[in-house]
């Protein structure tokens, strides 16, 4: 087990694409996968029935913010345990809302966690989230029969970056990324409360002041995002712990409202942080821009270059205008960007989301939307997709040439 690597959470992972027979077994009342000898590398030889507390998750591109989640017990056993020479291991699934959704072509991941529990993820066939799960766990070929297995020693080589942490959170695995070195400073500076996102982003950058985005805008942007995430989790844990210590007595509604506010803050903060750090990158590069100014129909594109004054001037050459939408994760929300600046036909969208499906990126290209991703995320895309992608460095060069 290595901290900061996949093995911190999983001692082994099995993955496969469900065939029609297997999908029927998982979703029907039979619930047993036969002929799973490969899983002995994950669970070992069963001399007696073993039961594992398990969480089941079904993911699609439409509901990853609120995936279908069930809990139950997986049973691993040898159906021929009494036979002196033969064994026939089977894996039994309980009936859950997740199992009933399994379909042919869906991706199934079975992860044995370090605490001895099991995480079972089923991702919809052909979806972006299925691509992301394969990328997260380091699997390329999932079409061949049988399970592909990664033991803990192999997971020791899969380092968790910011983009992979976003996917882990979708499947309920949260990495402890706190840094207590700055807790006292934050408590004194912010009075034990969360400051505005702009203030917090500025503080985060000040703790890694040796980084210069003029040298490496892609790498520095990701470093700033990682540091802000660490600092936010540190402060959040302290503030939430204090509130829980105070207690809610019998105020159930108060507790639920507090819990919802914590979740909403986590979701919205990442997007705001990304915009804040991008703006600082543009400032350091002397790139003229305006942020969240109103265009047609009260739309507010995240960034317009060289500015809203030029955009609203009908005599300004449209070939010198650029717009950039910013979404830490896209999902189907990328289409919102298409209506945010009518004068600009070729639009750009910066995201941190890895491994978006070919079907989605093809549709983006048809809609004249170009993806901008930090250089480190490009490797999660196929060799056919990469020539169309821009890095942040590429985008800055494009805007500078137009200005």
């Amino acid at each position: 087990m290595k901290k900061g690597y996949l093995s911190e959470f999983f001692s082994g992972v099995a993955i496969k694409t469900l065939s029609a027979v297997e999908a029927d077994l998982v979703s029907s009342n039979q619930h047993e996968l036969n002929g799973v000898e490969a899983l002995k590398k994950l669970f070992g030889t069963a001399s007696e029935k073993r039961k594992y507390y398990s969480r089941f998750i079904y993911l699609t591109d439409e509901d990853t913010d609120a995936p279908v989640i069930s809990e139950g017990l997986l049973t691993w056993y040898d159906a021929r345990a009494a036979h002196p020479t033969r064994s026939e291991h089977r894996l039994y699934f309980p009936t859950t809302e997740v199992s009933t959704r399994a379909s042919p072509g869906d991706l199934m991941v079975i992860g044995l966690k370090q605490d001895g529990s099991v995480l079972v993820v089923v991702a919809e066939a052909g979806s972006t989230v299925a691509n992301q799960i394969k990328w997260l766990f380091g699997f390329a070929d999932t079409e061949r029969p049988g399970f592909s297995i990664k033991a803990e020693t192999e997971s020791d080589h899969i380092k968790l970056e910011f983009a992979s942490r976003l996917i882990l959170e979708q499947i309920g695995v949260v990495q402890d990324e706190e840094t207590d070195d700055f807790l006292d400073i934050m408590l004194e500076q912010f009075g034990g409360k969360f400051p505005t996102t702009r203030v917090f982003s500025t503080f985060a950058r000040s703790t890694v002041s040796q980084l210069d985005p003029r040298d490496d805008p892609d790498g520095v942007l990701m470093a700033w995002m990682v540091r802000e995430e660490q600092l936010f989790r540190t402060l959040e844990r302290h503030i939430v712990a204090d509130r829980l210590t105070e207690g809610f007595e019998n105020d159930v509604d108060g507790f639920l409202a507090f819990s919802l506010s914590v979740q909403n803050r986590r979701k919205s903060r990442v997007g705001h942080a990304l915009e804040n750090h991008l703006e600082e990158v543009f400032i350091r590069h002397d790139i003229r821009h305006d942020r969240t100014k109103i265009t047609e129909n009260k739309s507010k594109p995240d960034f317009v270059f060289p500015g809203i004054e030029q955009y609203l001037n009908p005599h300004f050459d449209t070939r010198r205008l650029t717009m950039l939408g910013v979404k830490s994760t896209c999902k189907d929300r990328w289409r919102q960007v298409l209506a945010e600046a009518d004068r600009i036909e070729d639009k750009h969208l910066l995201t941190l989301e890895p491994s978006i499906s070919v079907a989605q990126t093809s549709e983006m290209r048809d809609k004249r939307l170009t993806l901008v991703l930090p250089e480190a995320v490009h490797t999660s895309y196929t060799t056919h997709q990469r020539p169309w992608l821009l890095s942040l460095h590429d985008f800055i060069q494009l805007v500078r040439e137009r200005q």
Side-chain angles (χ1 to χ4, degrees), residues 4 136 159-170 173 175 177 226 229-230:
L136 171 68
K159 185 174 175 59
L160 298 177
E161 305 292 351
F162 190 88
S164 49
R165 295 185 192 117
L166 293 176
I167 302 172
L168 278 174
E169 288 198 1
Q170 288 185 33
V173 179
Q175 188 177 19
E177 275 294 293
V226 169
E229 182 73 9
Q230 293 171 337

Side-chain angles (χ1 to χ4, degrees), residues 141-159:
D141 180 15
T142 58
E143 300 303 324
R144 64 182 181 81
F147 279 95
S148 298
I149 310 291
K150 277 196 189 300
E152 182 173 349
T153 52
E154 295 173 278
S155 297
D156 272 346
H157 300 290
I158 302 177
K159 185 174 175 59

Side-chain angles (χ1 to χ4, degrees), residues 346-377:
D346 293 296
K347 297 176 171 61
H348 292 80
L349 172 62
L350 185 140
T351 184
L352 305 180
E353 187 165 8
S355 201
I356 296 175
S357 69
V358 172
Q360 286 250 20
T361 57
S362 295
E363 186 178 355
M364 290 176 184
R365 293 185 70 177
D366 290 341
K367 301 293 186 182
R368 301 176 70 168
L369 178 71
T370 300
L371 276 184
V372 182
L373 303 118
E375 190 68 44
V377 184

Side-chain angles (χ1 to χ4, degrees), residues 26-27 31 56 68-73 93-101:
V26 173
S27 61
H31 294 327
F56 303 87
V68 177
I69 300 176
S70 303
E71 295 181 351
L73 295 175
F93 286 80
T95 301
T96 67
E97 189 176 355
V98 171
S99 69
T100 59
R101 292 173 179 249

Side-chain angles (χ1 to χ4, degrees), residues 95-250:
T95 301
T96 67
E97 189 176 355
V98 171
S99 69
T100 59
R101 292 173 179 249
S103 300
D106 285 354
L107 185 74
M108 171 180 276
V109 177
I110 302 173
L112 181 59
K113 299 180 70 176
Q114 292 290 359
D115 62 6
S117 65
V118 174
L119 177 66
V120 179
V121 178
V122 181
E124 186 178 32
S127 63
T128 287
V129 72
N131 283 354
Q132 293 171 341
I133 294 296
K134 287 189 286 187
W135 174 76
L136 171 68
F137 289 106
F139 288 96
D141 180 15
T142 58
E143 300 303 324
R144 64 182 181 81
F147 279 95
S148 298
I149 310 291
K150 277 196 189 300
E152 182 173 349
T153 52
E154 295 173 278
S155 297
D156 272 346
H157 300 290
I158 302 177
K159 185 174 175 59
L160 298 177
E161 305 292 351
F162 190 88
S164 49
R165 295 185 192 117
L166 293 176
I167 302 172
L168 278 174
E169 288 198 1
Q170 288 185 33
I171 59 176
V173 179
V174 180
Q175 188 177 19
D176 183 7
E177 275 294 293
E178 299 173 23
T179 173
D180 290 331
D181 295 345
F182 296 96
L183 179 58
D184 290 340
I185 298 174
M186 288 190 291
L187 292 176
E188 179 180 355
Q189 189 163 330
F190 305 138
K193 299 178 181 178
F194 286 109
T196 65
T197 56
R198 281 184 180 270
V199 169
F200 199 77
S201 294
T202 300
F203 174 77
R205 291 193 297 270
S206 74
T207 66
V208 283
S209 56
Q210 71 275 16
L211 298 179
D212 190 339
R214 291 171 294 187
D215 299 328
D216 178 15
D218 294 83
V220 171
L221 175 66
M222 295 304 291
W224 282 343
M225 290 295 294
V226 169
R227 175 50 60 90
E228 179 157 347
E229 182 73 9
Q230 293 171 337
L231 294 172
F232 173 81
R233 296 287 177 158
T234 301
L235 184 58
E236 180 191 55
R237 182 173 183 178
H238 177 86
I239 292 174
V240 171
D242 279 354
R243 183 65 186 91
L244 293 177
T245 300
E246 292 176 12
F248 293 88
E249 296 183 354
N250 295 319

